[in-house]
Amino acid sequence: MRNSRLNHWFKNFQLPAALLLAGTSSMAMAQVQPHVYDHQYDLVVYGATPSGISAAVEAARHDLHVAIIEPGAHIGGMMAGGLSRTDTGNKIVIGGIAREFFERVGARYGQPIEWNFEPHVASAVFDQMLRDAHVDIYMNKPILEQGGVQKQGQTILALATADNQLFRAKVFIDATYEGTLMGASGVSYTWGRESENKYGEGLAGYRVADQSGPSRDNFTTQVSPYAANGTLLPGVQSSPDEKLGDFDGKIQAYGFRLCITQRDDNKLPFPKPVNYQPADYALLARQLEALTVAHGHAPDLGELVSLGALPNDKFDVNDLGAISTDDLGSSWRYPAANAAQRATIWQAHYDYEAGFFYFLGHDPSVPVSLRNEVNSYGLAKDEFIANHGWPWQLYVRESRRMLGEYILTERDLENDPVIDRSKTDAIGLGSYAMDMHNVERIPLSNGLVQNEGGTYVPVKAYQIPYRSLLPMPSETDNLLVTVCLSASHVAYASLRMEPQYMIVGQAAGLAATFAVHGDTTVYQIPLAAMQAQLKTEHAVLDIPGTTAQ
């Protein structure tokens, strides 16, 4: 059955009591060993995500000698990996390098700016930006899982990669979705959902679906989650022993953002996974039957997935509704997993989502009209060519979150008169809604099933403080974190958008520039001068006073 390979280590995995970790001394304080290659840079950026690329380009444009190190085989993270319909929020807040990227994409389509694009176009634009800035690019270089970070006191001296290369620098930036360098450097972090009481957040913690208020993508029909023998169907988790607002270590669901088309000259059929089992989709079959009865006709594909139109007759596929492309529950162990375990989780998500489309296109329980519609689509064969049209990047919507100098919370994102939302160290703005995808699918006491954890609450434009990029100074003095930055689960649900990652990345690259040129730490840079420079580069630091759309 689906996810059986995960069950053994999932069952035996124990979450830390406080979900508070620091890199082990064997990682953070390893002795310097001889390496085949020994590189010296001003700045090393780990992770060629859009955030990492923005940081590297910004610093290189200010004459720093910069390396960007990517643990995988591709640059561009989610924006080149399938997330092609940009979560913009209020476009006014997107300036600087982030906006430059969308303008460069637009130029490829003969437009002043383009927010929605094909994955291969994003990849090409990112590659050109790095090369234009003369950033040294290193691919397929994961950090050593033991002894990967070398420190002296609070200062990171170097990181070592698995192929026996050493990268020294004055400043380091972690731009990975997983916070790999951050964790290996001895920096404190957390994951999961804080309780309501932790930071006084009304949206925090366990949000049982029939009590949580604003929610998204839930059941609108009455469906039982139980098999004939009384056991729960695949894809349904046991009802937790939690109350509304309780802390837990669970995170929102992951999935893949597929790029699909109906053009016969450019499509590949949806693949049948090796581990495909029709029984894994028994709940989906019940949902389709219930929707057909409720509506008087079979649902179409647009009721089961979000089809975001892209140039050249393509679509970006996103989760929509009660049962869709998100694989609820399979993401929970990802933040604490090692590389091999994460590969297993990647495969489990592939098996689920590929199986989801194969089931819709082939199972006899699916209405014929829906089967025919699904089979009229296919993976765009000119995208992710080396992977047969399937994205290489799993949509890691959240993983670890740093416990840094300033922890952004729900109150920072709301128009709360009790708290001063103006940040003297602002380096950018966020504006997208607090968008939490569902966390789990659970049985209710009435014998029906509901999804839990999904919330979508608009926010006012808010300032992102420089302090949220900084670890505690007692832990390290030359590291900036631009993706797994310091925020609660609720606040991170808005911060996690790629334009914001890019905005933060540019600020981090400029901070590294000031630290290197001023021969100081990232804590002692002249903030006013940095903010002034960001503004000259068309970054947006002031609150426009408008609500995100």
Side-chain angles (χ1 to χ4, degrees), residues 158-233:
L159 68 83
T161 55
D163 61 349
N164 204 31
Q165 298 198 39
L166 193 70
F167 292 84
R168 305 176 190 270
K170 298 174 183 177
V171 178
F172 293 83
I173 292 175
D174 184 340
T176 62
Y177 293 119
E178 296 81 10
T180 305
L181 176 57
M182 171 189 73
S185 300
V187 172
S188 298
Y189 59 84
T190 188
W191 73 88
R193 300 187 284 186
E194 295 90 355
S195 69
E196 285 184 342
N197 295 331
K198 177 71 173 178
Y199 300 119
E201 297 177 304
L203 296 174
Y206 175 67
R207 313 304 307 173
V208 62
D210 56 353
Q211 299 178 26
S212 62
S215 62
R216 54 173 292 157
D217 296 341
N218 225 316
F219 286 84
T220 57
T221 57
Q222 294 187 341
V223 178
S224 169
Y226 295 100
N229 63 2
T231 61
L232 289 172
L233 292 173

Side-chain angles (χ1 to χ4, degrees), residues 41 45 48 53 56 66-70 72-75 126-141 167:
Y41 286 93
V45 179
I53 292 168
V66 181
I68 190 165
I69 302 173
E70 167 54 39
H74 306 278
I75 67 167
F126 281 132
D127 181 73
Q128 191 62 55
M129 291 176 74
L130 287 169
R131 296 187 186 281
D132 287 349
H134 304 292
V135 174
D136 290 348
I137 307 167
Y138 296 86
M139 304 298 296
N140 296 303
K141 298 202 180 305
F167 292 84

Side-chain angles (χ1 to χ4, degrees), residues 433-517:
M434 291 178 282
D435 181 8
M436 290 170 269
H437 280 236
N438 286 305
V439 171
E440 58 190 335
R441 184 173 294 122
I442 56 174
L444 300 177
S445 57
N446 61 5
L448 301 177
V449 64
Q450 284 281 18
N451 295 335
E452 183 273 316
T455 303
Y456 186 93
V457 179
V459 302
K460 292 283 188 178
Y462 58 90
Q463 292 178 311
I464 304 169
Y466 178 62
R467 287 164 291 164
S468 63
L469 285 63
L470 295 171
M472 296 302 291
S474 60
E475 295 176 338
T476 181
D477 61 10
N478 65 336
L479 174 68
L480 295 156
V481 179
T482 64
V483 174
C484 297
L485 68 170
S486 186
S488 71
H489 165 78
V490 175
Y492 195 81
S494 170
L495 282 164
R496 67 180 182 83
M497 306 307 158
E498 296 290 340
Q500 275 60 52
Y501 289 158
M502 295 180 76
I503 289 167
V504 170
Q506 178 178 2
L510 187 57
T513 300
F514 274 93
V516 171
H517 288 332

Side-chain angles (χ1 to χ4, degrees), residues 258-282:
L258 304 186
C259 185
I260 67 174
T261 183
Q262 289 181 301
R263 282 179 48 173
D264 290 335
D265 63 341
N266 192 35
K267 70 178 184 181
L268 299 168
F270 293 113
K272 179 181 180 180
V274 173
N275 300 309
Y276 175 73
Q277 295 289 340
D280 288 345
Y281 302 92

